[in-house]
Amino acid sequence: MSDSGDARVRVAIIGSGPAGSYAAGHLLRHTATELHVDLYERLPTPWGLVRAGVAPDHPKIKSVTNLYERTAEHPRLRLFANVEFGKHVTLADLRRHYHAIVYAVGTPTDRAMGIPGEELPGSYSATEFVGWYNGHPDFRDHEFDLSGERAVVVGAGNVALDVARMLVLTRAELCVTDIADHALDVLSASGVREVVVVARRGPAQAAFTNPELRELGELTDADVLVAQDELAIADALVDPSADPTAKRNVEIMREYSTRQPAGRSRQVALRFLLSPLALSGAGRVESVTFARNTLEPSADGSLRARASEQRLELPAQAVFRAIGYRGTPLAEVPFDAEQELIANEGGRVRHGEYVVGWAKRGPSGVIGTNKKDANETVERLLEDLAAGRLLDPEPISDSALEEFVRERQPQLVDYAGWQAIDRHERALGEPAGRPRVKLTRVQELLDAIGLGGDD
Ligand code: NAP
């Protein structure tokens, strides 16, 4: 990048996951003004949930990083990774140096069930399990006891399916992926024989997408079970306005309910109309008590679960809640506490500040959904640029700005640094035919590119 850019229009994006990467791509394609984008990332590694959320056995989904790499290689983009907003750089710093700031920080926290026993050992959030098997440094040292035979997964979304699949894939299936080595060892030695995925509403209301649900029926070492009687009760409650995905989901589950178990060593059972009421056990989870539900129309026309007096107690030694995520406030950034998101209108937060992705709309949609979402926000930002409504930062050259950030964080990982980490991880994976072996501690990642020393 040339250094003569005192009058440059600069945008800082906070977060290099799909939403931040798509926003960067849209900004860089804008032709009326040449925008300069600095992509800040808390971890030494980019791509957010593509690296740390997408299941290891879904390499095709991960290949979207090829697109993000092309964006990151653009001459008007710099990656400032291992730099934390609020710690190394503050909002005031960014408002002093950029015309606009775009938050792309996701919704990092799991939702709690809010029931007795939820804190017992053996009760886990999908967020921590997913972060752990994907080698996210924050979850590196979490421990999961998978010695019991039955695991319950609460929730009927794609994260619940990811968790269920990861619990029943064979070592042979896992060891050709980029799963973190520590998780490969624990999952390979797992005693789990049955995974019960529990929905509080019926099959037609499940949040699964069709390919993910279909994949469950194609597992090498696990039979998928759907009880015909439960499906029949739920069938009576099918929402006539159900969308095509929901209708197809019901068809797939009907087909599952007709299958004879093929005697595979593990099972994944889908259960419906059950809400968790309590986890119980002497010092650790031993069972889950559910209320059996009926469905009733709610004010917005959708069907919601209503608990009956009937109870079901299911012995289980591990319970994973996969019931969605929520946003957490960023220092000094307006937060909508009710929706648990960064407060915004169509992506505008306030003068000079914008938001994209899950932090803007909530934790919904697939990776590609963030493209349209980021585009909407970038359109707002460009309107504000055209109308002279962006911030009015102090002029600074490219190199002086980078120097300023490096002073705050001498262990800044730039794009070349990430490429070196990437090459290193891929080389580690090569002898075993794996896409990569992930380095799972911040220190290891920095050491790999000679940036060692304490954070
Ligand atoms: P989700 O799709 O919103 O599903 C959450 C599930 O939790 C719903 O079934 C919901 O039921 C249930 N739930 C919520 N609160 C509950 C409670 N208190 N008790 C019992 N059940 C409760 O969320 P997600 O699975 O976390 O996924 C987040 C997003 O990432 C989704 O858009 C998903 O498609 C996407 N994703 C995609 C992939 C992929 O494409 N392969 C993989 C992972 C995630 P109700 O419907 O009754 O509220």
Side-chain angles (χ1 to χ4, degrees), residues 58 61 111-113 154-160 162 198-201 205-207 209 212 274-276 322-325 358 363-366:
H58 281 168
I61 299 182
R111 287 190 189 286
M113 294 184 287
V154 178
N158 283 335
V159 170
D162 281 348
V198 185
R200 65 177 167 184
R201 299 191 289 157
Q205 292 79 38
T209 47
E212 278 63 29
L274 295 168
S275 278
I323 59 172
Y325 298 86
W358 281 7
S364 66
V366 293

Side-chain angles (χ1 to χ4, degrees), residues 1 42 47 80 107 113 151 202 260 267-268 275 282 292 299 344 348 353 406:
M1 234 187 245
R42 178 171 73 90
W47 321 143
F80 291 160
T107 51
M113 294 184 287
Q260 289 300 319
Q267 296 183 333
V268 178
S275 278
R292 285 193 189 276
N344 76 96
R348 279 192 182 100
E353 294 174 43
R406 283 188 186 276

Side-chain angles (χ1 to χ4, degrees), residues 82-90 93 404-405 408-409 455:
N82 201 33
V83 179
E84 186 170 345
F85 176 79
K87 177 179 170 189
H88 301 110
V89 290
T90 63
D93 294 330
F404 165 78
V405 183
R408 294 293 182 81
Q409 171 50 310
D455 182 26

